[in-house]
């Protein structure tokens, strides 16, 4: 047989093998069902009733007690013999929360109401015990009861219940003399009851009534008269579940009164012959949910008129708790609660469930061939190719079917190895499958599988990752190095012979990526990252040594809208800027939950998503906050595979994890800025509950004794789907200086001083909570009497009185001292004035003697000048006499006097005396001590020579708030008439009139006196 013929035979055998691939109908994308069981504090697993009160707490009625749930903890209530304030019976059949009086509880023996303010139950008496199966309030606030003995009503004034007979109407009594299981209301205000004798209609406003029964002769009537459950939708249909002769779902058109029956829940193909429809729910978005004894939770598709079942899967932790369901309830925020007959509760929010899982299984009856998921790709038909540890599967989202490609011992090999590491769909819709022991390519058009070997130039290596560049080239990274596929030759290039790639081509390539500029990024184990520009034919190497990458174990690449290349590795996240050739590193200190970062993708809002070994993370576009998602958000596991994620053509992200594939549309995720309701659920002192005598949810003020300053406060943020992401923000003012952020619900305070405090608190899910509304409770801690304000006030007043008495005594003593000091100052002033007056009197005779001598000489020689001189002397003595009666005088008057004095002196000294006066006129209204300037001029003449050859120059000018008198020094050797006291007396005198001292200066050339103006 020729080699060509052998090759064709091999291809034919492979094609035959592929024709035997397994096709499996898969589960749909899963919801994130959370569970609440007895292990979480639930008093019993049989949950027949669920309701949510006005505060947001969810209540569960079980066959053994009542439970209140806040998202994390359960508070239980039981019937206590002899305690009238407890439940009358532990078997709870129904619950109803109204908007006024609280929670109504239907038990096996009657009705009671939970009173929030007293934390007690009020029992409503009746003439006989009845089982209350459903409760409903009308528009007037009257409470109606569906019981095992027909329709009852409450008398709220007398705290009693009685059977409703409509005024003794026998027809009404006969019609409603039956077991009523459930009640629903239509948009027109009519009530429809599910009973053991058909459907009953009652209008509580008009009191009209009617019934709908099974008619054996009419195929469009009810399928049976025993109706266990009923619900009305917004489209005008009434849905009812009948039990006999078999479980049937009836859809009643309220306009035509015609019924369409669905036999899905009694299908013999599913062995549901003894099934029973337990509850029907029309949710807030118009979806119809049906719960039965065996089929789990079923969702109705109105377009196809088919049902899809959400069931329990032991391999999926967040699947339905059990297939047996007895009750359904949707709360005001959209969460659907699912009660079971002994297992507890499941609950989920169908409208806040962005994550869903394609979960692996180990047998052909389930979805995928293995748990460990590795890679994903999408073909041109929109099918997903999912690589796992035991084969590859083609998933068709439209039909939810899988086609499995995996080797089996008894069949020809379909691929090199079942352990798949990478998958790629190229531009021709061919599927490349990288295994741990070689490379395959599947041609979807022909159904042919290629096995590439050394014959095509590629080894049977471990293929980590693949990419296709913009030119259509396929690049493959493996443990044996880097390879490029040549489509024309159907061979792989050995890049070790390439001049650019030769240093790197033979190394272990763990990650490979093509960016928007057709640059190839290659992660080399123990080397770094290589960037190859396909257009410019240029290679760059990024290394740890150059601080451009954080680790050499690269797992994934992504490019954001700014052109930043993100690199995931074992030691954190790297943001590399190719234009600036710089890098920024992110580690645990920046909010990463682990060092290992993989599966990098960037969404349409430029947010970076990546998987870690401790959850899925999203880094917002501003790159300053990282949001973490974990199993509480719907993930099957927190550990993601150390490779790449995939974005489909419709924007769906596929993340391979250690327990299946996580799928989500990132556009559906929006930051939740709303705050959950928050309450103080417990206030303890020394671990003992403090009962404030008021509804804890409405607590406003707590008063404590002085020895109760050690206390704890428990908070509850009612965020049911993920209570652990709830952050509590609180501050005890003024004890706490700043807001405290924590995820712990219990807050402890010790050694709080006595006083009044304001405990401010709020809860948030994301962000920092600046705009979130807060709540507040006042806490008052009383003081010991000797620490109380009034005691301290008495002490303070007593101390103040003592201080005042002491102060008054000291003040009296001080006044005596000041009086003595004042007298001493007056005596000193008088002494100074006497000395100054003596000085003036001393200067007057001296001046008179000199003046008369000059006048005698003038009379002989110049009578006219003598007359002028005599007139000047008269002015001078008139001024001296006038100023003698005044302590101070205007500066202008003193200047006029000095000018007259100088004119007389110039007659005597002629050109030997020069006096310059330059005073700012703005100072003329200031005051000065009389004859101060005259004394200083006279003093200068007395102590200095004055001749025409060497004139005495006296300058009188202003400087700031001083009048300055300055003369050049031409001293006489001996001044006989000087008593050395003139200037000293003048200084002392000015000390009494001004805080600014009189200044006397001598520097060898000039003698200067500065007089402060008054």
């Amino acid at each position: 047989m020729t080699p060509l013929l052998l090759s064709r035979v091999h291809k034919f055998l492979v094609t035959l093998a592929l024709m035997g691939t397994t096709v499996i109908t898969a589960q749909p994308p899963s919801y994130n069902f959370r569970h609440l069981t007895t292990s979480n504090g639930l008093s019993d697993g049989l949950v027949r009733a669920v309701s949510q009160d006005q505060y947001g707490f969810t209540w569960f009625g079980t066959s053994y007690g009542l439970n209140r749930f806040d998202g994390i903890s359960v508070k239980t209530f039981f019937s206590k013999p002899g305690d009238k304030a407890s439940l009358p019976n532990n078997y709870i059949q129904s619950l109803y929360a109204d908007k006024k009086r609280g929670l109504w509880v239907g038990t096996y023996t009657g009705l009671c109401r939970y009173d929030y303010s007293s934390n007690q139950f009020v029992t409503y008496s009746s003439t006989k015990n009845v089982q209350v199966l459903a409760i409903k309030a009308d528009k007037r606030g009257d409470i109606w009861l569906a019981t095992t003995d027909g329709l009852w009503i409450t008398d709220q004034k007398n705290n009693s219940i009685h059977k409703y007979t409509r005024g003794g109407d026998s027809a009404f009594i006969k019609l409603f003399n039956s077991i009523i299981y459930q009640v629903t209301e239509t948009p027109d205000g009519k009530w429809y009851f599910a009973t053991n004798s058909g459907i009953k209609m009652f209008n509580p406003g008009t009191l009209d009534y009617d019934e709908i029964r099974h008619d054996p002769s009419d195929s469009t009537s009810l399928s049976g008269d025993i109706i266990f459950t009923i619900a009305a939708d917004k489209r005008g249909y009434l849905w009812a579940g009948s039990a006999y002769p078999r479980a049937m779902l009836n859809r009643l058109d309220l306009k035509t009164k015609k019924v369409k029956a669905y036999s899905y829940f009694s299908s013999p193909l599913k062995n549901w012959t003894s099934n029973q429809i337990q509850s029907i729910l029309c949710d807030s978005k118009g979806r119809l949910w049906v719960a039965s004894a065996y089929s789990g939770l079923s969702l109705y598709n109105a377009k196809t008129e088919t049902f899809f079942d959400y069931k329990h899967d032991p391999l999926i932790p967040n699947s339905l708790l059990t297939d047996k369901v007895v009750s359904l309830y949707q709360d005001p925020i959209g969460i659907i609660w699912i009660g079971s007959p002994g297992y507890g509760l499941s609950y989920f929010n169908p409208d806040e469930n962005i994550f869903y899982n394609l979960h692996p299984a180990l047998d052909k009856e389930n979805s995928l061939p293995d748990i460990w998921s590795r890679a994903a790709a999408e073909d041109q038909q929109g099918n997903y190719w999912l690589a796992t540890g035991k084969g590859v599967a083609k998933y068709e989202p439209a039909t939810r079917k899988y086609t499995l490609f995996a080797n089996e011992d008894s069949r020809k090999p379909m691929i090199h190895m079942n352990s798949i590491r990478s998958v790629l769909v190229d531009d021709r819709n061919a599927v490349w499958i990288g295994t741990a022991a070689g490379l395959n390519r599947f041609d979807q058009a022909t159904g042919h599988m290629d096995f590439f070997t050394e014959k095509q130039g590629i080894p049977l290596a471990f293929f980590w990752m693949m990419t296709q560049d913009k030119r259509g080239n396929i690049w493959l990274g493996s443990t044996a190095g880097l390879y490029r596929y040549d489509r024309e030759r159907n061979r792989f290039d050995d890049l070790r012979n390439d001049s650019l790639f030769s240093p790197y081509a033979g190394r272990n390539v763990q990650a490979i990526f093509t960016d928007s500029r057709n640059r190839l990024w290659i992660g080399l184990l123990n080397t770094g990252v290589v960037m190859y520009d396909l257009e410019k034919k240029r290679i760059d190497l990024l290394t740890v040594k150059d601080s451009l990458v954080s680790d050499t174990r690269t797992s994934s690449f992504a490019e954001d809208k700014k052109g930043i290349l993100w690199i995931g590795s074992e030691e954190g996240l790297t943001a590399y800027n190719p234009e600036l050739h710089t890098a920024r590193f992110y580690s645990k200190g920046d909010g990463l939950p682990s060092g290992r970062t993989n599966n990098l993708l960037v969404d349409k809002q430029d947010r970076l998503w990546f998987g870690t070994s401790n959850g899925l993370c999203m880094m917002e576009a501003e790159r300053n906050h990282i949001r973490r998602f974990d199993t509480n958000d719907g993930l099957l596991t927190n550990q993601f595979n150390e490779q790449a994620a995939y974005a489909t053509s419709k924007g769906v992200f596929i993340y391979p994890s250690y327990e299946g594939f996580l799928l989500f549309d990132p556009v559906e995720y929006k930051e939740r800025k709303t705050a959950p309701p928050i309450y103080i659920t417990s206030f303890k002192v020394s671990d003992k509950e403090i009962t404030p005598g008021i509804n804890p949810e409405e607590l406003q003020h707590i008063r404590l004794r002085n020895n109760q300053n050690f206390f704890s406060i428990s908070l509850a943020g009612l965020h049911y789907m993920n209570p652990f992401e709830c952050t509590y923000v609180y501050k005890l003012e003024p004890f706490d200086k700043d807001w405290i952020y924590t995820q712990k619900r219990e807050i402890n305070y010790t050694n709080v001083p006595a006083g009044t405090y304001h405990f401010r608190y709020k809860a948030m899910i994301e962000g920092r909570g600046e705009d979130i509304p807060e709540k507040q409770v006042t806490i008052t801690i009383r003081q010991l009497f000797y620490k109380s304000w009034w005691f301290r006030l008495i002490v303070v007043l007593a101390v103040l009185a003592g201080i005042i008495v002491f102060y008054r005594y000291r003040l009296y003593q001080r006044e005596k001292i000041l009086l003595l000091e004042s007298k001493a100052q007056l005596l000193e002033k008088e002494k100074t004035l006497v000395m100054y007056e003596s000085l003036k009197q001393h200067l007057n005779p001296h001046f008179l003697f000199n003046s008369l001598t000059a006048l005698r000489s003038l009379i002989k020689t110049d009578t006219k000048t003598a007359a002028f001189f005599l007139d000047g002397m008269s002015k001078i003595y008139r001024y001296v006499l006038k100023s003698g009666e005044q302590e101070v005088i205007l500066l202008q008057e003193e200047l006029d006097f000095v000018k007259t004095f100088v004119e007389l002196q110039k007659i005597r000294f002629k050109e030997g005396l020069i006096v310059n006066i330059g005073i700012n006129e703005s100072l003329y209204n200031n005051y000065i001590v009389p004859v101060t300037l005259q004394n200083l001029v006279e003093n200068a003449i007395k102590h200095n020579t004055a001749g025409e050859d060497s004139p005495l120059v006296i300058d009188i000018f202003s400087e700031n708030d001083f009048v300055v008198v300055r003369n050049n020094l031409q001293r006489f050797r001996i001044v006989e008439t000087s008593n050395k006291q003139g200037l000293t007396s003048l200084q002392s005198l000015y000390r009494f009139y001004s805080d600014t001292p009189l200044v006397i200066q001598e520097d060898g050339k000039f003698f200067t006196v500065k007089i402060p103006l008054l």
Side-chain angles (χ1 to χ4, degrees):
M1 189 177 291
T2 64
L4 178 60
L5 181 60
L6 282 172
S7 175
R8 289 178 177 176
V9 170
H10 179 262
K11 291 181 178 179
F12 175 73
L13 292 175
V14 170
T15 303
L16 287 177
L18 291 177
M19 291 175 63
T21 54
T22 304
V23 178
I24 297 173
T25 301
Q27 295 284 345
S30 62
Y31 283 116
N32 174 29
F33 291 97
R34 295 184 62 84
H35 306 138
L36 183 66
T37 67
T38 53
S39 63
N40 306 117
L42 201 64
S43 63
D44 185 73
L46 174 55
V47 183
R48 290 197 174 275
V50 183
S51 187
Q52 194 170 98
D53 64 21
Q54 59 183 317
Y55 302 106
F57 291 97
T58 305
W59 296 78
F60 311 120
T62 75
S63 62
Y64 182 64
L66 180 65
N67 301 259
R68 190 189 76 171
F69 184 49
D70 62 17
I72 294 180
S73 60
V74 178
K75 184 177 181 179
T76 56
F77 302 85
F78 297 102
S79 174
K80 300 177 182 178
D83 186 356
K84 294 182 179 180
S86 67
L87 283 169
N89 188 275
N90 281 328
Y91 199 105
I92 310 301
Q93 298 272 58
S94 56
L95 294 171
Y96 182 79
D98 67 13
K99 297 180 180 179
K100 294 181 178 180
R101 303 197 65 185
L103 184 75
W104 298 86
V105 183
T107 73
Y108 198 77
T109 59
L111 178 73
C112 66
R113 177 176 55 84
Y114 176 67
D115 186 80
Y116 286 87
S117 60
S118 63
N119 193 29
Q120 295 179 347
F121 291 89
V122 178
T123 300
Y124 283 66
S125 61
S126 61
T127 56
K128 67 175 182 178
N129 291 338
V130 290
Q131 297 182 39
V132 180
L133 304 180
I135 309 170
K136 190 168 179 58
D138 63 21
K139 294 180 180 179
R140 295 186 301 269
D142 293 330
I143 302 297
W144 298 77
L145 313 175
T147 77
T148 52
D149 186 31
L151 185 62
W152 287 52
I153 191 170
T154 60
D155 182 348
Q156 298 186 39
K157 291 183 179 179
N158 299 313
N159 290 346
S160 63
I161 61 173
H162 60 85
K163 190 171 184 179
Y164 183 72
T165 60
R166 196 179 180 274
D169 187 336
S170 59
F172 179 87
I173 296 172
K174 181 179 179 181
L175 187 65
F176 277 86
N177 193 20
S178 54
I179 301 174
I180 304 177
Y181 298 104
Q182 284 187 7
V183 59
T184 188
E185 184 177 2
T186 54
D188 58 1
K190 294 178 180 178
W191 291 2
Y192 289 85
F193 298 89
T195 77
N196 64 342
S197 56
I199 298 173
K200 313 298 183 184
M201 187 281 293
F202 176 64
N203 190 325
T206 64
L207 303 183
D208 294 336
Y209 60 93
D210 199 355
E211 69 175 345
I212 304 170
R213 299 294 297 268
H214 167 64
D215 185 353
S217 63
D218 186 358
S219 60
T220 62
S221 69
L222 284 177
S223 59
D225 275 340
I226 301 178
I227 309 296
F228 282 125
T229 180
I230 194 167
D233 66 19
K234 297 178 181 179
R235 298 180 299 160
Y237 291 116
L238 193 68
W239 298 83
S242 63
Y244 296 102
R246 57 185 179 137
M248 299 286 286
L249 180 66
N250 298 268
R251 187 187 70 186
L252 172 65
D253 189 324
L254 291 173
K255 291 182 178 180
T256 65
K257 303 300 180 183
K258 292 187 177 181
V259 175
K260 179 173 182 177
Y262 297 85
S263 59
Y264 177 82
F265 297 94
S266 57
S267 172
L269 297 176
K270 297 187 177 182
N271 196 26
W272 288 350
T273 54
S274 60
N275 196 15
Q276 181 175 310
I277 299 174
Q278 301 278 19
S279 186
I280 304 172
L281 173 67
C282 295
D283 70 15
S284 58
K285 296 298 177 65
R287 292 169 294 223
L288 181 72
W289 304 86
V290 182
S292 73
Y294 299 121
S295 59
L297 181 65
S298 302
L299 176 62
Y300 175 68
N301 187 326
K303 293 181 179 180
T304 61
E305 293 195 306
T306 58
F307 296 87
F308 189 86
D309 303 325
Y310 290 89
K311 304 185 73 175
H312 170 66
D313 188 334
L315 296 176
I316 303 178
N318 60 354
S319 68
L320 202 63
L321 186 62
T322 175
D323 293 340
K324 304 179 189 303
V325 179
V326 296
S327 60
L328 294 175
Y329 172 80
Q330 186 178 37
D331 66 25
I333 64 174
I335 297 176
I336 295 177
W337 301 83
I338 307 161
S340 75
Y343 301 88
L345 284 146
S346 300
Y347 56 101
F348 73 109
N349 191 328
D351 299 309
E352 292 187 5
N353 197 91
I354 69 167
F355 300 113
Y356 58 97
N357 303 282
L358 298 177
H359 190 274
L362 299 176
D363 57 78
K364 293 181 180 180
E365 294 182 358
N366 288 287
S367 54
L368 291 179
D370 199 4
I371 291 177
W372 192 355
S373 302
R374 268 73 177 278
E378 181 187 27
D379 64 23
Q380 294 175 5
Q381 288 74 39
N383 302 314
Y384 301 160
W385 290 80
L386 307 172
T388 74
K390 287 190 177 179
V392 65
K394 181 179 77 171
Y395 172 68
E396 302 174 35
T399 61
R400 298 192 181 103
K401 291 183 179 180
Y402 292 90
T403 302
L404 307 182
F405 295 80
N407 295 334
E408 297 182 15
D409 294 339
S410 60
R411 299 175 63 180
K412 294 282 186 180
M414 300 181 66
I415 49 181
H416 277 295
M417 189 179 185
N418 281 347
S419 180
I420 312 298
R421 285 292 174 173
S422 55
V423 62
L424 170 74
V425 178
D426 65 19
D427 56 345
R428 296 184 178 180
N429 210 31
V431 182
W432 296 74
I433 304 170
T435 77
L439 179 68
N440 293 95
R441 181 181 62 188
F442 179 58
D443 189 331
Q444 296 197 75
T446 64
H448 175 71
M449 182 74 77
D450 288 319
F451 285 74
F452 294 111
T453 64
E454 294 284 359
K455 293 181 180 180
Q456 290 82 28
I458 196 165
L460 300 177
F462 190 114
F463 286 87
W464 285 105
M465 206 172 292
M466 298 177 281
T467 187
Q468 185 173 24
D469 64 31
K470 293 183 178 180
R471 296 182 178 180
N473 297 313
I474 306 293
W475 298 80
L476 305 106
S478 72
T479 53
L482 179 68
Y483 293 88
R484 179 178 58 202
Y485 177 64
D486 187 329
R487 183 172 282 170
E488 294 181 359
R489 297 186 297 119
N490 193 30
R491 287 188 58 82
F492 295 86
D493 295 330
D494 188 350
L495 297 176
R496 289 175 296 182
N497 300 322
D498 188 282
S499 59
L500 286 174
F501 280 107
S502 57
Y504 316 112
R507 302 187 185 185
N508 191 341
V509 178
Q510 286 193 311
I512 191 167
F513 173 74
T514 306
D515 69 12
S516 60
R517 298 188 180 183
N518 207 27
R519 294 176 296 198
L520 196 67
W521 299 86
I522 307 161
L524 302 177
L525 182 64
N526 299 325
T527 301
V529 173
V530 170
M531 187 281 291
Y532 173 49
D533 193 320
L534 294 168
E535 309 301 330
K536 298 179 180 179
K537 303 297 182 183
R538 179 174 60 86
I539 279 184
D540 288 331
L541 177 64
L542 315 181
T543 66
V544 175
K545 183 179 179 181
D546 297 328
S547 297
L548 296 176
V549 291
S550 59
D551 186 35
T552 60
R553 294 166 293 176
T554 306
S555 61
S556 180
F557 297 101
E559 181 185 16
D560 67 19
K561 293 183 178 181
K562 300 179 182 67
I564 302 298
L565 186 81
W566 294 85
I567 306 170
S569 69
E570 293 289 303
E571 295 295 335
L573 188 63
T574 300
Y576 173 68
N577 189 325
E579 302 300 323
L580 302 178
H581 198 53
T582 58
R584 177 184 174 183
F585 304 114
Y586 295 84
S587 61
K588 288 186 177 181
D590 301 295
L592 294 180
S594 72
R596 178 181 292 174
T597 54
N598 325 298
N599 323 114
L600 275 61
L601 288 175
V602 177
D603 66 17
K604 295 178 181 179
Q605 300 177 32
D606 206 30
R607 299 177 298 188
L608 180 69
W609 297 78
F610 53 96
T612 73
S613 58
N614 191 23
L616 176 71
C617 293
M618 183 276 293
M619 185 186 293
E620 59 187 18
E622 293 77 13
R623 309 298 186 232
N624 54 20
H625 176 66
I626 295 175
R627 166 75 161 88
R628 176 178 172 269
F629 304 88
D630 58 18
T631 53
N632 293 309
D633 296 289
L635 278 58
L636 290 176
T637 176
N638 289 338
Q639 187 161 0
F640 289 84
N641 190 32
E642 299 85 3
Q643 287 180 252
Y646 186 82
T648 71
S649 58
K650 294 182 179 180
V652 176
F653 285 5
I654 304 177
Y655 275 70
S657 75
Y658 276 37
E659 294 190 24
F661 291 90
L662 178 73
L663 285 78
F664 64 96
D665 185 345
V667 176
E668 294 181 2
Y669 173 74
K670 295 178 177 60
E671 184 178 3
R672 291 163 287 181
K673 296 184 180 298
T674 57
I678 182 172
Y679 300 101
I680 293 177
T681 57
S682 175
F683 193 98
K684 295 180 179 179
V685 174
S686 301
D687 291 329
K688 184 179 179 181
E689 189 73 39
I690 298 295
T691 305
I694 191 173
N695 180 6
E697 289 77 21
E698 297 177 355
L699 193 62
Q700 297 293 325
H701 200 161
I702 298 175
R703 292 174 173 83
L704 303 175
R705 299 190 302 273
N706 62 280
N707 60 346
Q708 292 180 316
N709 60 344
F710 291 74
F711 54 85
S712 63
I713 303 171
S714 294
L715 301 176
L718 304 184
H719 180 49
Y720 291 105
M721 290 309 300
N722 191 353
F724 299 103
E725 72 172 351
C726 190
T727 298
Y728 298 95
V729 187
Y730 67 90
K731 180 198 293 187
L732 182 64
E733 291 183 336
F735 189 80
D736 295 323
K737 302 302 181 184
D738 299 309
W739 286 99
I740 298 171
Y741 293 78
T742 182
Q743 289 188 311
K744 295 180 179 179
R745 305 199 328 157
E746 185 169 301
I747 303 162
N748 295 294
Y749 283 100
T750 59
N751 279 332
V752 180
T756 298
Y757 300 90
H758 300 288
F759 181 70
R760 300 166 59 190
Y761 60 101
K762 51 189 173 181
M764 65 182 188
I765 300 173
E766 296 180 16
R768 293 298 297 170
E770 290 82 0
D771 300 327
I772 293 174
E774 65 180 62
K775 300 177 77 173
Q776 179 174 295
V777 60
T778 301
I779 301 174
T780 301
I781 304 174
R782 292 201 301 265
Q783 285 276 19
L784 289 170
F785 79 94
Y786 54 83
K787 293 183 179 180
S788 60
W789 67 269
W790 56 267
F791 184 82
R792 291 182 175 179
L793 180 60
I794 291 174
V795 173
V796 169
L797 290 175
V799 172
L800 286 175
I803 292 174
I804 291 171
V805 171
F806 178 74
Y807 175 74
R808 288 176 65 87
Y809 174 76
R810 289 294 303 271
L811 190 62
Y812 174 72
Q813 296 295 325
R814 179 64 177 168
E815 288 175 350
K816 290 175 65 177
I817 294 172
L818 289 175
L819 182 60
L820 294 174
E821 290 179 346
S822 178
K823 290 181 179 181
Q825 288 178 350
L826 289 173
L827 292 174
E828 183 68 22
K829 182 179 179 182
E830 289 178 0
K831 176 184 175 183
T832 304
L833 289 172
V834 169
M835 292 175 63
Y836 184 67
E837 188 63 27
S838 175
L839 177 63
K840 288 195 292 180
Q841 296 299 325
H842 173 76
L843 291 175
N844 288 340
H846 178 74
F847 169 71
L848 179 61
F849 174 78
N850 290 332
S851 298
L852 290 175
T853 302
L855 180 61
R856 178 185 177 189
S857 176
L858 288 173
I859 291 172
K860 292 179 180 181
T861 59
D862 187 352
T863 57
K864 186 178 180 179
T865 302
F868 174 78
F869 191 89
L870 182 62
D871 185 54
M873 285 182 62
S874 174
K875 291 180 180 179
I876 288 173
Y877 276 96
R878 189 182 301 114
Y879 178 80
V880 171
L881 292 173
K882 177 183 175 182
S883 63
E885 301 173 356
Q886 296 176 312
E887 292 188 10
V888 293
I889 198 165
L890 288 174
L891 175 61
Q892 184 176 3
E893 295 181 14
E894 177 73 5
L895 287 173
D896 292 340
F897 166 68
V898 169
K899 289 176 183 177
T900 302
F901 177 78
V902 169
E903 287 175 357
L904 296 182
Q905 295 300 323
K906 292 193 71 172
I907 292 173
R908 177 185 172 193
F909 292 102
K910 295 183 172 46
E911 299 303 323
L913 176 65
I914 300 174
V915 178
N916 301 315
I917 299 175
I919 301 294
N920 193 332
E921 293 182 0
S922 63
L923 302 176
Y924 280 3
N925 291 326
N926 290 72
Y927 288 90
I928 193 170
V929 174
V931 302
T932 298
L933 298 180
Q934 185 271 339
N935 276 324
L936 293 176
V937 172
E938 177 72 13
N939 195 55
I941 294 171
K942 181 171 62 174
H943 289 275
N944 296 277
T945 62
E948 293 183 359
D949 295 333
S950 180
L952 173 64
V953 181
I954 302 173
D955 294 316
I956 302 173
F957 59 91
S958 58
E959 183 180 275
N960 297 329
D961 289 331
F962 289 90
V963 173
V964 181
V965 179
R966 182 180 64 191
N967 65 273
N968 55 336
L969 287 175
Q970 299 178 149
R971 290 185 181 278
F972 289 110
R973 291 186 178 180
I974 299 174
V975 182
E976 296 179 353
T977 60
S978 177
N979 58 9
K980 311 294 185 181
Q981 298 296 318
L983 291 178
T984 301
S985 297
L986 199 61
Q987 276 184 312
S988 299
L989 184 62
Y990 268 91
R991 218 177 272 126
F992 288 102
Y993 292 112
S994 174
D995 292 331
T996 305
L998 184 144
V999 180
I1000 301 173
Q1001 296 175 339
E1002 184 177 343
D1003 59 5
K1005 292 184 179 181
F1006 297 99
F1007 183 83
T1008 306
V1009 178
K1010 295 183 178 182
I1011 304 117
L1013 290 172
L1014 306 178

